[in-house]
Each structure stands twice: as structure tokens, then as C-alpha cells.
Amino acid sequence: MMPRPVFSLSVDRHTPVLVQGITGRAGQRHARMMRDAGTAIVGGVSARTDIGPVDGIPVFGDCADAVAATGAVASVLLVGAAQVLPAVTEALAAGIRLVVTPTEGVPVHDAVEIRNRVDAAGAVWIGASTPGMAIPGEAKLGFLPDVSLAPGPVAMASKSGTLSYEAGFRLVQAGLGQSAWIGVGGDPVKGTRFADLAPWLARHGRTEAVLLVGEIGGNEEEEFAQAVAASRLDKPVVALIAGRTAPGGVSMGHAGALTWGSFGTWEAKRAALAGAGVHVCATIDEAVKALARALGAARG
Amino acid sequence: MFLFEHDAKVLLGTFGISTPEGCWVDAAGRLDGTLPSGPLMVKAQVAGGGRGKAGGIRRAADAEQALQVAAALQAAPLGGLAVAGCRVEQALDDAREVYLSLTLDASNAQVQVLVSDAGGVDIESADPASLVRETAALDAPAIAAATRRAAQRLSPANRDAVVEAGERLAAAFVALDAQMIEINPLFVMRHPHVDAARWVAADAKLITDDNALYRQPALAALVERAAGRYPEAARKWRHGCDYVVVDPAGEIALLTTGAGLSMMLIDELRAQDLRPYNFLDVRTGGLRGDPQRLIDVLGWMREGTQVRVLLVNIFAGITHLGEFSRLLVQALDAVPAFRVPVVARLAGPGFDEAVEVLGARGVKVEADLTRAIESVRAALCRGTSAPGGAA
């Protein structure tokens, strides 16, 4: 098996970003909202070039033209589930280094192929089934709600969009904010997994603590627990895991949230994370309080 | 989607996987297919493993006895799992039991092939040394080649069967958008008849991908035809949302969006000794100005005989709450029979408008989830004498 490229992320207000699928309903709306959040949206891609610029953002017929004209290095893909694989392929061929795919419902076999292509290109893929990522105060690639975002010391890594909105919202209410927020997404096969983030989080200067927002199913939380030690992530890590009381054998909304026997269960994740020194909380409030305490102690 | 053994066998049969002749028998004794003759096996159809050890597989001498056993097996849950039906199939004897599985390893985005000479119900406790592992890229020739490599480390008597079955399963795995196929046991016949199969999939576990249903006509047809067996997949396919009844005696219906927050809400309610009825990821982003999905959902919630309050929790990233509130009011009006107090917790764009729209309908909107849960508790206390209330 080919070794995976090491995850790295350098996104700020100067990072030139494309929106693929910009002339669609979601594309138009979120291109505007991302720009309002400070993101340098430099162009859009759509077969419908006849529509003309969207809010002054130029629209190109394909990624190669868009990259040639704008120098874009990142792309947010707001396209249908069946279009994600061809659209990512097009972006990589044009030299895009970071693709963010919020789309829900990408077939797992497509996700395998996307991941192989992204890895071969040495690029970074965030998604699918994710609200995206943000560096609050700098840029937002996706649709994390502004009320849940503020610059601060906590890096958030999340599977679920809505649960992370709620957790982010309460962090901001508690006077904390985020150094980075990466929605890895709820699908089983994905571009960036929790464990991929651990070495980066360990090095990331503005991150003083980490909030992991996980859920039942798969083994990402367990992998992350191993990666905490391996990457010497010695910052305080607090985790929330949804689905403690969910029934087994049924996908709870996310394709990835399927438990099987003792595999992927809440208890298996809690035990693995606790063994790595991660503070696993039962409620959102408890997690926010734990972070506030940890940061207070670290700064105290 | 986890397929019941019977459906998995029918589907895999189309890829040249031989299985014992059999049919589906429902709780009323109705047959889907024809009963084979001779000694039979009656197998409870449940969405989980450990069935054999839980007593869910029994032998019957003839058809009459098989139908009696099938009725008995469907009378009660098996190991905590509902029995959806029974498969009655031809009993086969005089075979070696081999294990063969293909699993999509999500972590490494490749396929893991696992084979063993020691198949059967004890595979989980088998000596790890008896398990042969190989990995392959997600493509049929690569998976078949990995199975061939693995087979070389099995007993010579089992190799040919595993190689041939592996080749066909590899094709099925890719063609069906599978996440897992497990054949345990694969019967390798000791003395096959001249005109009979040399190997037979005696059991079959197949997990497919709901997201790929749009390009899987055979699976989509199954979900349409047997919606009762696959209620979650059928709802998602027809209505575009995820809905799971988590406690048939639950008192709190949940109209929620987002899988993670909905699961966490259920966990937090239960931790406070409250009883949620359902899980729902309604996907407000997909409503597109049409209340129909909300109307459908409220209709399903009516099946909860103990439901006494509806908790709406929407943390909107994309959705405009004013627009959502108008759809919710239309839906509540369209399902007058669902008359329970409504507590709405909303956050996101259009909040003020939502307060106005829902307020006019007598629904109080909370901005804070903790306070909304307190309101739910209060409504449950009030509602013990007079359900109906604000809605």
C-alpha cells in the first residue's frame, strides 16, 4: 500500500479558493457567505458559464481555466453525490492542493477511489459529508455557522456537523473560540481521519487544547487514541462521542455510524481515548467546562 | 444496509454463488418461494450475528415440522434482536466448514480478505493462526488475486473451492457496492454428486451501501418490495431522511436535524431519565420549501402510543429558520391527529422570524437546549392529565 501523505493545512485569508458548482442553489449562496467570512473566493466553476459572474465572482467552464486565471490552490465542491468523484478528479488535474467536499451521500466505493487519487496527487481532502473547515477570523471553506465561530485556542475536529455546531456555539458562549475547526465528516471512508490530524495538532502553534467530536461506528476514535501518543500530542484533549445509547446494527444517519458487536461502540471508544489521557465527557456542557478548566490550568 | 441472509443469498446467487435451495417464511406462515424437500434447516432472519448459538438455527425432518419451527422462532426476539422472518432451506451434510470474507477496510481504503479452514460458529474464538489475511485494492481482479494467494495457505482440499468462490464474490463485491461479504460457513462437500456443486454458501452476510442505492437496481427493488424488512433503508430511499424508533414506549418525539446532534440529544435525554421515542435526521436542507417530509415524519410519530410531547431541535447552518418554521406550522396543521405540546429549540439564521411564526401557533421557542429540555419535562408533567395542550 502506498504511504499516505502527511496531513498539513495552511489556510488563511490570502489562500485563493474556488467554488466548484458555484451556479447551483447552494453554490451561489455559500460562495457569498464564505466570502463574507473572509475567505478569498477567487472564482467559480460550472458548466453554466452563461449565467455570468456570481456576486462578482468570475465563473469558469472548468478547473484548469479557473486555476490558470486565478492561481487557486483550494476548492470547495458543492456538487451532487454522483459528481463528487469526477469533480475532485478535475480539481486534482488542475493542480488544486486542498479539496473540501461537503456533499452527503457519496457512495463508499467512490470515496475509496477519490482517496486513492488524492493520495497519489499528494493533496489533502476534507470530507465527504462535512460542513467543511474554518480558521476563525481568517477563512471558512464550507458552511460552519458564524455564530459558532470565534478565534480562540481550541482546535475542533468533528464527524458530525450539527453536534459540532452546538459544541462550537457553547464554546463561543463560554468565551472560548477555535484555532482551527476541521469537520472530517460522517462517512466511513474519507479524506482526512481524526488520526491524520494528531501530528498537525501537536505542532499547530495557535492550538492550546483539542475538542474531538466523535460518534459511534468505525474505529477513528480508537485510531486517534493511538495517534495521541505516537505524535506526542501533549495538549489537553477533550472528547464528546454521540450515540452512547444508540441501538446496534442500524446506521444512525451517518453511513459511518454503524456499530457491530463490540466494534465501534461508545464504550470501546471511551476506553481507548481514556487510555490515551483524553477526557471523555458525557454531555456538551461538561466538555466545554472541561476545556475551560484545562485552559485555565495551562495558563494559570 | 445489512441484508438478511435470505436476501443476501438470492442476490449472491445471481453472481454464481451456489446456496442451498430455500425460501422465506413470514410470521403468518406465508412463503416467498417454494419449500425444498427432504430434511430442512430453519433459520431465524435477524440483523446480527451469534444466531446459531442463540438457538436461531434448527433442523426439521420435513416441511410440516419446518413451518412449526419457523412460527415458533418468530414468536419472540432472538438475543435481543427482532426476527424478521425465517429462511427454510435444504439441509446439507458431509461438508468441511470454511470461512471466507471480504471487508472494506475504511481506515486504509482497501479490501481485506480473510479465509480459514476452521469456519463455523466458533470462528471468533478460533486460533488466530488459523486465519489467513490478505489485502487488495478495491477492484475485482485484485480481490480475486488476493483470495487466490490466501487460499494457498489453506488445506489443499479446500483451495479450489475458495479460489472459485473468491473470484465470484470479488465480482459481486464490486458490482454490488458492498462493504462486507462474509460466507461462514462455506461448505466444501466431501463427496459431491457428479451434477451437484462442490461448494455451497451455507450462510451469507452482506452489507451494502445505502448511498449507492441509486445505482443498484436490484437492491433498490428489494428495498421497495420488502420495505417492511428494511424500514430504515426504505424511509431513506423514499423520503430522504433517517428515522429510527429507538424506544417504542418513548414519550418524546424528536424532530431533529443532523445525525450527531440527534444521537447526542437522545443520550443526554436518557441520562436525565427522559424517554425519547425516535432518532431523526430530517435534513432540513433538503426540504426545499415543501412541508411533505415533515408531514410524513409527524405521521410516523403518531405510531408512538406513549408520545406526549414533540421536541424540535434545529441548529441551522444552512437552513433559514423562518422558512423552516412556516413549513413546520403547515405540517402540524396537516396532521391534526398528532396533538401533543410542541417545544422548539432553534439556533441559526432567521431566529426572530421563527419566534414570530411559531409564537402565532402557540409554540414557544427556546434559544437554549438545556432550557428546552426543561420545558419538555414540564410539558410531560402537565400532560399526564391532559394531552393536547399548546398544539
Side-chain angles (χ1 to χ4, degrees), chain B residues 32-84:
Chain B
D32 184 359
T34 24
L35 273 177
S37 53
L40 298 166
M41 299 305 291
V42 185
K43 306 167 88 178
Q45 300 295 292
V46 291
R51 174 180 62 167
K53 287 189 172 167
I57 301 178
R58 301 198 196 153
R59 210 179 161 96
D62 54 30
E64 191 185 345
Q65 197 190 358
L67 290 174
Q68 283 166 8
V69 172
L73 278 174
Q74 292 180 70
L78 188 77
L81 295 168
V83 179

Side-chain angles (χ1 to χ4, degrees), chain B residues 99 151 202-203 205-206 223 238 250 255 260 275 287 324 326 386:
Chain B
Y99 178 93
D203 197 356
K205 201 175 278 179
L206 171 59
V223 167
R238 290 179 185 160
L255 203 173
R275 295 189 73 172
L287 296 177
F324 169 76
R326 277 186 291 276

